[in-house]
Amino acid sequence: MIVELPDTTTSQVSKTLVKIREEGGVVALGRVLTLVIATSPGSEEEAIEAANDASREHPMRVIVVSSDPDELPDAEARLDAEIRVGGDAGASEVIVLRACGDAALDEESLVMGLLLPDAPVVTWWPGIAPPVPGEAALGRIAHRRITDASTQRDPQGSLHSLASSYTPGDADFAWTRLTLWRAQLAAVLDQPPYEPITGVRVTGAIDSPSTTLLAAWLRLQLDAPTSYVLTPVEQGSHGIHGVRLEREGGTVELVRDVPGIATLRQPGQPVHDVALPRRNLRDCLADELRRLDPDELYGEVITSGLSLLGDAEAEGVHA
């Protein structure tokens, strides 16, 4: 069910939510958190779909704040709202707030009256994120703040911005997308021979901040010389292309030449195909919502690991 509330107020939205629960039996009981999605007009539906899918694992209230920061300052102040419940909202309640003019200047006030009482707040910027998420209006009220470096105008540069502005509770999907890669590499290194790694080389597309974060994580964990190569998008697939680990007994290579499938080569062992698909928005969001405490490892990688890396190599050859 979708209820439209044109030219309204947050107070009226709250009253309508109560009325819907009383008349239709839709309750907020069991909601474990409030997810605030800050997005731009026209980009709401993809984020809402991901949140609806993730809500089946994490029942929550979803508040979507849609505004255009480049809008003319003298535009008419107006708030249009939309409430989605039942089949249109997965296992959540979705409140869409489309603000313009002066109504969009104070995003914090827009959502404060709609937050679930005593429930943690997670703010997610699926598109362009503020320079310092922890100091943004919707970031100040959140226990966790989720950004996506890959959607920024300069994906690689945004990592260094995230590092300089990092606040415990920050998270980024560039890190979340590494879960499968990290698990596979950890499994490889957990097998004999237990020889130290003497060199690391990571290759990926230049628009893949995950490539840089993977190199930073390996540099931090293995304490070995680490290089990373960023190739033009035109010369290969998006995302991470491969990892090469050097040790005395030979080289371990995990290379993804086919979308979703990586090839694992180890000295003295058969070649294996490993499933390494690129994680979609739903998987990344559900993964991040599994923990509401700060991700200390991500914080260490983004602040310390990046500083240990040198400059990227710009080549057109895959690892």
Side-chain angles (χ1 to χ4, degrees):
M1 179 175 68
I2 299 179
V3 178
E4 301 280 356
L5 296 172
D7 198 8
T8 186
T9 64
T10 53
S11 176
Q12 186 59 45
V13 173
S14 182
K15 291 178 182 178
T16 304
L17 270 174
V18 173
K19 183 179 179 181
I20 291 174
R21 289 198 297 268
E22 291 176 346
E23 294 181 354
V26 180
V27 299
L29 298 178
R31 303 289 190 253
V32 297
L33 60 93
T34 301
L35 175 65
V36 179
I37 304 175
T39 186
S40 57
S43 304
E44 305 96 342
E45 293 305 324
E46 184 180 12
I48 291 173
E49 182 180 357
N52 285 345
D53 288 343
S55 72
R56 305 184 194 283
E57 183 176 341
H58 311 280
M60 56 189 168
R61 172 173 289 178
V62 179
I63 304 174
V64 182
V65 180
S66 177
S67 60
D68 185 357
D70 297 326
E71 188 179 44
L72 294 176
D74 57 350
E76 177 188 1
R78 181 183 176 95
L79 176 65
D80 296 326
E82 188 178 285
I83 300 174
R84 305 181 186 184
V85 294
D88 293 293
S92 62
E93 300 166 326
V94 178
I95 305 165
V96 183
L97 304 176
R98 297 184 175 92
C100 57
D102 288 343
L105 296 179
D106 192 353
E107 295 174 320
E108 185 175 350
S109 296
L110 284 178
V111 305
M112 285 301 292
L114 301 173
L115 302 179
L116 290 174
D118 303 321
V121 178
V122 178
T123 298
W124 172 32
W125 290 272
I128 300 300
V132 184
E135 296 180 2
L138 296 178
R140 290 193 298 265
I141 63 175
H143 296 76
R144 294 292 304 278
R145 295 163 295 276
I146 304 173
T147 55
D148 190 348
S150 68
T151 64
Q152 309 308 302
R153 296 182 179 92
D154 178 7
Q156 297 296 333
S158 69
L159 288 181
H160 298 283
S161 176
L162 290 171
S164 62
S165 66
Y166 175 77
T167 303
D170 289 355
D172 194 273
F173 280 170
W175 173 252
T176 318
R177 294 187 181 99
L178 292 179
T179 300
L180 300 180
W181 282 87
R182 290 167 51 215
Q184 186 59 49
L185 290 169
V188 169
L189 295 175
D190 200 34
Q191 301 172 4
Y194 304 106
E195 298 175 332
I197 301 299
T198 58
V200 177
R201 186 177 178 85
V202 182
T203 306
I206 195 169
D207 63 349
S208 169
S210 296
T211 299
T212 307
L213 283 181
L214 181 57
W217 174 70
L218 289 169
R219 174 65 180 85
L220 197 63
Q221 298 299 314
L222 300 177
D223 193 24
T226 301
S227 63
Y228 63 110
V229 180
L230 300 178
T231 65
V233 175
E234 299 80 19
Q235 297 187 18
S237 61
H238 295 272
I240 301 169
H241 297 161
V243 178
R244 188 171 70 216
L245 305 176
E246 304 280 356
R247 53 187 176 189
E248 186 176 344
T251 300
V252 176
E253 286 187 308
L254 183 63
V255 180
R256 184 168 61 185
D257 288 328
V258 178
I261 303 293
T263 302
L264 175 62
R265 297 181 178 89
Q266 302 179 80
Q269 296 191 28
V271 175
H272 296 285
D273 288 336
V274 180
L276 274 180
R278 296 197 71 197
R279 308 187 78 192
N280 56 31
L281 276 183
R282 183 267 173 211
D283 292 338
C284 289
L285 182 61
D287 197 351
E288 284 298 336
L289 295 180
R290 291 190 183 107
R291 58 181 304 158
L292 297 175
D293 57 319
D295 187 338
E296 296 179 357
L297 180 57
Y298 166 72
E300 188 177 2
V301 170
I302 195 73
T303 56
S304 301
L306 279 182
S307 63
L308 296 175
L309 291 177
D311 293 333
E313 300 176 27
E315 298 180 3
V317 181
H318 292 193

PDB file of all heavy atoms in Angstrom, residues 70-91:
ATOM      1  N   ASP A  70      21.879  21.221  -5.626  1.00  0.00           N
ATOM      2  CA  ASP A  70      22.145  22.233  -6.652  1.00  0.00           C
ATOM      3  C   ASP A  70      20.894  23.006  -7.052  1.00  0.00           C
ATOM      4  O   ASP A  70      20.923  23.825  -7.973  1.00  0.00           O
ATOM      5  CB  ASP A  70      22.746  21.576  -7.897  1.00  0.00           C
ATOM      6  CG  ASP A  70      24.092  20.932  -7.599  1.00  0.00           C
ATOM      7  OD1 ASP A  70      24.828  21.478  -6.764  1.00  0.00           O
ATOM      8  OD2 ASP A  70      24.390  19.882  -8.196  1.00  0.00           O
ATOM      9  N   GLU A  71      19.807  22.741  -6.355  1.00  0.00           N
ATOM     10  CA  GLU A  71      18.544  23.407  -6.674  1.00  0.00           C
ATOM     11  C   GLU A  71      18.651  24.898  -6.369  1.00  0.00           C
ATOM     12  O   GLU A  71      19.371  25.322  -5.457  1.00  0.00           O
ATOM     13  CB  GLU A  71      17.433  22.776  -5.834  1.00  0.00           C
ATOM     14  CG  GLU A  71      16.044  23.232  -6.182  1.00  0.00           C
ATOM     15  CD  GLU A  71      15.019  22.538  -5.309  1.00  0.00           C
ATOM     16  OE1 GLU A  71      15.255  22.442  -4.094  1.00  0.00           O
ATOM     17  OE2 GLU A  71      14.001  22.089  -5.830  1.00  0.00           O
ATOM     18  N   LEU A  72      17.937  25.702  -7.128  1.00  0.00           N
ATOM     19  CA  LEU A  72      17.963  27.144  -6.897  1.00  0.00           C
ATOM     20  C   LEU A  72      17.512  27.470  -5.478  1.00  0.00           C
ATOM     21  O   LEU A  72      16.507  26.939  -4.993  1.00  0.00           O
ATOM     22  CB  LEU A  72      17.031  27.849  -7.900  1.00  0.00           C
ATOM     23  CG  LEU A  72      17.448  27.775  -9.374  1.00  0.00           C
ATOM     24  CD1 LEU A  72      16.389  28.436 -10.246  1.00  0.00           C
ATOM     25  CD2 LEU A  72      18.799  28.456  -9.576  1.00  0.00           C
ATOM     26  N   PRO A  73      18.253  28.339  -4.772  1.00  0.00           N
ATOM     27  CA  PRO A  73      17.916  28.633  -3.381  1.00  0.00           C
ATOM     28  C   PRO A  73      16.558  29.307  -3.208  1.00  0.00           C
ATOM     29  O   PRO A  73      15.973  29.254  -2.133  1.00  0.00           O
ATOM     30  CB  PRO A  73      19.056  29.566  -2.935  1.00  0.00           C
ATOM     31  CG  PRO A  73      19.608  30.142  -4.202  1.00  0.00           C
ATOM     32  CD  PRO A  73      19.431  29.069  -5.233  1.00  0.00           C
ATOM     33  N   ASP A  74      16.058  29.949  -4.263  1.00  0.00           N
ATOM     34  CA  ASP A  74      14.776  30.627  -4.136  1.00  0.00           C
ATOM     35  C   ASP A  74      13.608  29.755  -4.586  1.00  0.00           C
ATOM     36  O   ASP A  74      12.496  30.250  -4.802  1.00  0.00           O
ATOM     37  CB  ASP A  74      14.789  31.932  -4.940  1.00  0.00           C
ATOM     38  CG  ASP A  74      15.118  31.709  -6.422  1.00  0.00           C
ATOM     39  OD1 ASP A  74      15.508  30.576  -6.764  1.00  0.00           O
ATOM     40  OD2 ASP A  74      14.974  32.662  -7.206  1.00  0.00           O
ATOM     41  N   ALA A  75      13.851  28.452  -4.734  1.00  0.00           N
ATOM     42  CA  ALA A  75      12.766  27.546  -5.114  1.00  0.00           C
ATOM     43  C   ALA A  75      11.715  27.499  -4.003  1.00  0.00           C
ATOM     44  O   ALA A  75      12.015  27.716  -2.825  1.00  0.00           O
ATOM     45  CB  ALA A  75      13.320  26.149  -5.367  1.00  0.00           C
ATOM     46  N   GLU A  76      10.500  27.178  -4.376  1.00  0.00           N
ATOM     47  CA  GLU A  76       9.407  27.131  -3.414  1.00  0.00           C
ATOM     48  C   GLU A  76       9.656  26.066  -2.351  1.00  0.00           C
ATOM     49  O   GLU A  76      10.023  24.939  -2.658  1.00  0.00           O
ATOM     50  CB  GLU A  76       8.098  26.823  -4.137  1.00  0.00           C
ATOM     51  CG  GLU A  76       6.904  26.692  -3.212  1.00  0.00           C
ATOM     52  CD  GLU A  76       5.660  26.198  -3.937  1.00  0.00           C
ATOM     53  OE1 GLU A  76       5.754  25.950  -5.159  1.00  0.00           O
ATOM     54  OE2 GLU A  76       4.619  26.055  -3.276  1.00  0.00           O
ATOM     55  N   ALA A  77       9.486  26.453  -1.099  1.00  0.00           N
ATOM     56  CA  ALA A  77       9.641  25.498   0.003  1.00  0.00           C
ATOM     57  C   ALA A  77       8.464  24.521  -0.019  1.00  0.00           C
ATOM     58  O   ALA A  77       7.296  24.935   0.042  1.00  0.00           O
ATOM     59  CB  ALA A  77       9.698  26.236   1.339  1.00  0.00           C
ATOM     60  N   ARG A  78       8.772  23.219  -0.102  1.00  0.00           N
ATOM     61  CA  ARG A  78       7.699  22.239  -0.220  1.00  0.00           C
ATOM     62  C   ARG A  78       8.207  20.872   0.218  1.00  0.00           C
ATOM     63  O   ARG A  78       9.363  20.515  -0.017  1.00  0.00           O
ATOM     64  CB  ARG A  78       7.211  22.168  -1.668  1.00  0.00           C
ATOM     65  CG  ARG A  78       6.070  21.199  -1.917  1.00  0.00           C
ATOM     66  CD  ARG A  78       5.721  21.143  -3.395  1.00  0.00           C
ATOM     67  NE  ARG A  78       4.696  20.151  -3.680  1.00  0.00           N
ATOM     68  CZ  ARG A  78       3.410  20.418  -3.757  1.00  0.00           C
ATOM     69  NH1 ARG A  78       2.974  21.653  -3.578  1.00  0.00           N
ATOM     70  NH2 ARG A  78       2.536  19.461  -4.026  1.00  0.00           N
ATOM     71  N   LEU A  79       7.352  20.124   0.867  1.00  0.00           N
ATOM     72  CA  LEU A  79       7.662  18.758   1.267  1.00  0.00           C
ATOM     73  C   LEU A  79       6.543  17.833   0.799  1.00  0.00           C
ATOM     74  O   LEU A  79       5.399  17.966   1.228  1.00  0.00           O
ATOM     75  CB  LEU A  79       7.821  18.645   2.788  1.00  0.00           C
ATOM     76  CG  LEU A  79       8.049  17.224   3.329  1.00  0.00           C
ATOM     77  CD1 LEU A  79       9.385  16.681   2.835  1.00  0.00           C
ATOM     78  CD2 LEU A  79       7.998  17.206   4.851  1.00  0.00           C
ATOM     79  N   ASP A  80       6.885  16.929  -0.106  1.00  0.00           N
ATOM     80  CA  ASP A  80       5.954  15.899  -0.544  1.00  0.00           C
ATOM     81  C   ASP A  80       6.406  14.576   0.068  1.00  0.00           C
ATOM     82  O   ASP A  80       7.603  14.259   0.055  1.00  0.00           O
ATOM     83  CB  ASP A  80       5.939  15.783  -2.065  1.00  0.00           C
ATOM     84  CG  ASP A  80       5.415  17.052  -2.735  1.00  0.00           C
ATOM     85  OD1 ASP A  80       4.517  17.692  -2.150  1.00  0.00           O
ATOM     86  OD2 ASP A  80       5.909  17.398  -3.818  1.00  0.00           O
ATOM     87  N   ALA A  81       5.462  13.819   0.584  1.00  0.00           N
ATOM     88  CA  ALA A  81       5.811  12.571   1.261  1.00  0.00           C
ATOM     89  C   ALA A  81       5.027  11.406   0.677  1.00  0.00           C
ATOM     90  O   ALA A  81       3.993  11.577   0.033  1.00  0.00           O
ATOM     91  CB  ALA A  81       5.561  12.679   2.761  1.00  0.00           C
ATOM     92  N   GLU A  82       5.570  10.245   0.930  1.00  0.00           N
ATOM     93  CA  GLU A  82       4.957   8.999   0.450  1.00  0.00           C
ATOM     94  C   GLU A  82       5.231   7.929   1.501  1.00  0.00           C
ATOM     95  O   GLU A  82       6.361   7.785   1.961  1.00  0.00           O
ATOM     96  CB  GLU A  82       5.602   8.631  -0.882  1.00  0.00           C
ATOM     97  CG  GLU A  82       4.973   7.484  -1.618  1.00  0.00           C
ATOM     98  CD  GLU A  82       5.682   7.260  -2.952  1.00  0.00           C
ATOM     99  OE1 GLU A  82       5.479   8.054  -3.890  1.00  0.00           O
ATOM    100  OE2 GLU A  82       6.473   6.306  -3.012  1.00  0.00           O
ATOM    101  N   ILE A  83       4.219   7.213   1.903  1.00  0.00           N
ATOM    102  CA  ILE A  83       4.361   6.142   2.886  1.00  0.00           C
ATOM    103  C   ILE A  83       4.047   4.821   2.207  1.00  0.00           C
ATOM    104  O   ILE A  83       2.992   4.672   1.582  1.00  0.00           O
ATOM    105  CB  ILE A  83       3.426   6.348   4.092  1.00  0.00           C
ATOM    106  CG1 ILE A  83       3.745   7.672   4.801  1.00  0.00           C
ATOM    107  CG2 ILE A  83       3.557   5.190   5.078  1.00  0.00           C
ATOM    108  CD1 ILE A  83       2.772   8.013   5.908  1.00  0.00           C
ATOM    109  N   ARG A  84       4.969   3.872   2.322  1.00  0.00           N
ATOM    110  CA  ARG A  84       4.777   2.553   1.728  1.00  0.00           C
ATOM    111  C   ARG A  84       4.811   1.502   2.822  1.00  0.00           C
ATOM    112  O   ARG A  84       5.745   1.459   3.628  1.00  0.00           O
ATOM    113  CB  ARG A  84       5.874   2.256   0.703  1.00  0.00           C
ATOM    114  CG  ARG A  84       6.013   3.306  -0.395  1.00  0.00           C
ATOM    115  CD  ARG A  84       7.105   2.926  -1.390  1.00  0.00           C
ATOM    116  NE  ARG A  84       7.352   3.985  -2.361  1.00  0.00           N
ATOM    117  CZ  ARG A  84       8.199   3.877  -3.380  1.00  0.00           C
ATOM    118  NH1 ARG A  84       8.879   2.737  -3.560  1.00  0.00           N
ATOM    119  NH2 ARG A  84       8.383   4.884  -4.208  1.00  0.00           N
ATOM    120  N   VAL A  85       3.819   0.661   2.850  1.00  0.00           N
ATOM    121  CA  VAL A  85       3.763  -0.433   3.819  1.00  0.00           C
ATOM    122  C   VAL A  85       3.291  -1.693   3.105  1.00  0.00           C
ATOM    123  O   VAL A  85       2.845  -1.660   1.958  1.00  0.00           O
ATOM    124  CB  VAL A  85       2.809  -0.103   4.998  1.00  0.00           C
ATOM    125  CG1 VAL A  85       3.347   1.056   5.820  1.00  0.00           C
ATOM    126  CG2 VAL A  85       1.403   0.215   4.478  1.00  0.00           C
ATOM    127  N   GLY A  86       3.382  -2.811   3.785  1.00  0.00           N
ATOM    128  CA  GLY A  86       2.921  -4.068   3.203  1.00  0.00           C
ATOM    129  C   GLY A  86       3.814  -4.531   2.073  1.00  0.00           C
ATOM    130  O   GLY A  86       5.039  -4.444   2.142  1.00  0.00           O
ATOM    131  N   GLY A  87       3.202  -4.989   0.992  1.00  0.00           N
ATOM    132  CA  GLY A  87       3.947  -5.548  -0.121  1.00  0.00           C
ATOM    133  C   GLY A  87       4.837  -4.552  -0.829  1.00  0.00           C
ATOM    134  O   GLY A  87       5.767  -4.941  -1.533  1.00  0.00           O
ATOM    135  N   ASP A  88       4.581  -3.270  -0.649  1.00  0.00           N
ATOM    136  CA  ASP A  88       5.396  -2.240  -1.296  1.00  0.00           C
ATOM    137  C   ASP A  88       6.606  -1.839  -0.458  1.00  0.00           C
ATOM    138  O   ASP A  88       7.370  -0.962  -0.858  1.00  0.00           O
ATOM    139  CB  ASP A  88       4.549  -0.986  -1.569  1.00  0.00           C
ATOM    140  CG  ASP A  88       3.468  -1.238  -2.602  1.00  0.00           C
ATOM    141  OD1 ASP A  88       3.829  -1.471  -3.763  1.00  0.00           O
ATOM    142  OD2 ASP A  88       2.283  -1.234  -2.239  1.00  0.00           O
ATOM    143  N   ALA A  89       6.773  -2.492   0.699  1.00  0.00           N
ATOM    144  CA  ALA A  89       7.860  -2.079   1.588  1.00  0.00           C
ATOM    145  C   ALA A  89       8.638  -3.251   2.157  1.00  0.00           C
ATOM    146  O   ALA A  89       9.392  -3.077   3.112  1.00  0.00           O
ATOM    147  CB  ALA A  89       7.294  -1.230   2.729  1.00  0.00           C
ATOM    148  N   GLY A  90       8.494  -4.442   1.589  1.00  0.00           N
ATOM    149  CA  GLY A  90       9.214  -5.590   2.136  1.00  0.00           C
ATOM    150  C   GLY A  90       8.829  -5.820   3.581  1.00  0.00           C
ATOM    151  O   GLY A  90       7.649  -5.817   3.934  1.00  0.00           O
ATOM    152  N   ALA A  91       9.821  -6.001   4.447  1.00  0.00           N
ATOM    153  CA  ALA A  91       9.559  -6.178   5.881  1.00  0.00           C
ATOM    154  C   ALA A  91       9.826  -4.879   6.621  1.00  0.00           C
ATOM    155  O   ALA A  91      10.232  -4.880   7.775  1.00  0.00           O
ATOM    156  CB  ALA A  91      10.437  -7.297   6.435  1.00  0.00           C
TER     157      ALA A  91
END
